[in-house]
Amino acid sequence: MAKLPPPQSATVQAIMAAYEADAEDGFRAHLGASLIGKECERALWLDFHWTTRSAFSGRMLRLFETGQREEERLVANLRRIGVTVLDVNPDSGRQWRVEAHGGHFGGSLDGVALGVPEAPKTWHVCEFKTHNAKSFNELKAKGVRLAKPQHFAQMQIYMALTGMTRALYLAVCKDTDELHAERIRAEPAEAERLLAKARRIIEAAHPPARISEDASWYQCRFCAHHGLCHEGEMPEINCRTCLHVTPVADGTWHCARWDQVVAIADQRQGCGHHLFIPDLVAGEQIDADASQEWVLYRFPDGNLWRNGPPCPAQA
């Protein structure tokens, strides 16, 4: 007979539940530079269109918080050895931010530094990360470019949009507190490729192709959008999943239904005239009525579903 696990402390359960209750939805106003190195462009498009709400456990949310707190310690470590670190922009008093494509694409730097021992006269973009032992050992063996391509891409964007030519990647192993530092050289051609990729995703009216049609493929299996992309789950209801709303060149989102720009806060709410972007529905579109604002779908199991207001007979 299997041994029953010990009951979890009510205190621990309450703490974890509080983290989950306070968690944000994960919907960023912009396409993040920290994500642009992700290989699957479809996943990036789904991120940008707010299709899948974040659903992290309390333990994972605490881990994210630990990573954020470690940044302060790494800044203090650098200052202790004489490095000048500006973790906020002195002009704004806020975290350094960069953006492109009208503000639809961007990110926040952990800081900028001058006086790095290997090149004391060169300003560096700072990127601080925490790793478990397995990830940290791979980082040391392969370097950030091969071990953490998303982090490498993130720094390339930051260097391109700040005009800096070097980045300092400072990582800590959460298991041993060992540190790893790597200086990254700016590669303008790589940054341009990534910026073009971001523009392609932002301007795409339809989600790009899947990275694999095999739902068990490792990049699909661990993707937050797996259920939507491979299992026919429905996306979240908000303005960015609505066929009426489009990102436009000045960094805003325009609703054709109301012929107006929709503020970020309002995008989260949507409205009573929401209609899904057809590509997000795992069914065949078989009929539609623009004047009545509905779309009819047939799902693979033969069931019909009408997206829009109910039929008069059902009202």
Side-chain angles (χ1 to χ4, degrees):
M1 178 177 174
K3 195 173 182 180
L4 290 174
Q8 189 178 38
S9 159
T11 300
V12 172
Q13 288 179 325
I15 290 171
M16 296 307 178
Y19 270 95
E20 292 168 14
D22 293 341
E24 296 181 352
D25 55 24
F27 298 150
R28 297 185 184 188
H30 59 276
L31 178 63
S34 62
L35 300 178
I36 198 60
K38 190 185 294 185
E39 190 174 354
C40 181
E41 294 195 13
R42 184 183 183 90
L44 288 167
W45 191 94
L46 296 174
D47 289 337
F48 186 54
H49 281 267
W50 293 359
T51 64
T52 308
R53 185 178 298 269
S54 293
F56 293 108
S57 67
R59 185 185 70 82
M60 287 302 301
L61 292 167
R62 272 185 54 80
L63 274 175
F64 298 152
E65 183 182 69
T66 297
Q68 293 165 355
R69 291 185 172 184
E70 187 65 29
E71 292 176 12
E72 298 177 10
R73 188 180 179 197
L74 293 173
V75 168
N77 291 161
L78 290 171
R79 288 174 176 164
R80 180 178 290 176
I81 63 170
V83 178
T84 298
V85 183
L86 303 180
D87 52 347
V88 296
N89 184 334
D91 293 334
S92 66
R94 298 180 179 179
Q95 194 171 15
W96 295 90
R97 281 199 52 78
V98 293
E99 61 180 39
H101 307 323
H104 283 306
F105 178 63
S108 300
L109 284 66
D110 291 336
V112 299
L114 182 68
V116 175
E118 292 88 343
K121 296 182 180 180
T122 303
W123 280 100
H124 289 66
V125 164
C126 292
E127 189 59 38
F128 305 130
K129 299 293 186 185
T130 60
H131 297 257
N132 60 30
K134 180 180 178 181
S135 175
F136 189 81
N137 289 334
E138 184 183 18
L139 173 67
K140 289 197 302 178
K142 297 181 179 179
V144 65
R145 181 174 199 146
L146 295 179
K148 296 295 173 184
Q150 281 188 219
H151 298 171
F152 181 82
Q154 181 180 7
M155 290 184 286
Q156 290 299 327
I157 290 295
Y158 290 167
M159 285 187 279
L161 296 181
T162 60
M164 297 186 199
T165 60
R166 298 291 185 276
L168 175 66
Y169 185 83
L170 188 56
V172 58
C173 177
K174 291 178 287 189
D175 300 65
T176 65
D177 240 13
E178 183 181 353
L179 296 177
H180 173 81
E182 220 176 305
R183 292 179 63 239
I184 307 300
R185 185 183 298 271
E187 298 182 13
E190 176 64 9
E192 285 301 314
R193 185 188 72 80
L194 292 166
L195 286 166
K197 177 182 179 181
R199 180 181 292 280
R200 187 165 62 246
I201 291 161
I202 290 163
E203 295 180 350
H206 306 280
R210 297 178 180 89
I211 194 170
S212 174
E213 294 301 318
D214 180 359
S216 65
W217 179 249
Y218 76 100
Q219 288 165 300
C220 298
R221 193 167 67 251
F222 298 109
C223 178
H225 305 294
H226 184 276
L228 170 66
C229 198
H230 287 282
E231 298 179 352
E233 292 182 5
M234 296 299 289
E236 292 287 319
I237 295 176
N238 56 63
C239 286
R240 296 203 185 183
T241 61
C242 179
L243 59 79
H244 295 304
V245 183
T246 307
V248 291
D250 64 358
T252 62
W253 290 73
H254 181 266
C255 176
R257 171 63 175 74
W258 298 108
D259 191 22
Q260 66 182 30
V261 169
V262 188
I264 295 295
D266 294 331
Q267 290 174 28
R268 284 180 159 80
Q269 302 304 316
C271 78
H273 296 271
H274 179 280
L275 290 174
F276 282 116
I277 298 169
D279 302 88
L280 297 178
V281 179
E284 177 191 4
Q285 181 180 330
I286 59 172
D287 199 2
D289 188 320
S291 64
Q292 297 296 313
E293 298 183 286
W294 56 261
V295 182
L296 186 66
Y297 295 91
R298 178 186 289 116
F299 288 107
D301 62 5
N303 286 329
L304 301 181
W305 175 66
R306 174 173 157 142
N307 182 200
C311 298
Q314 299 173 329

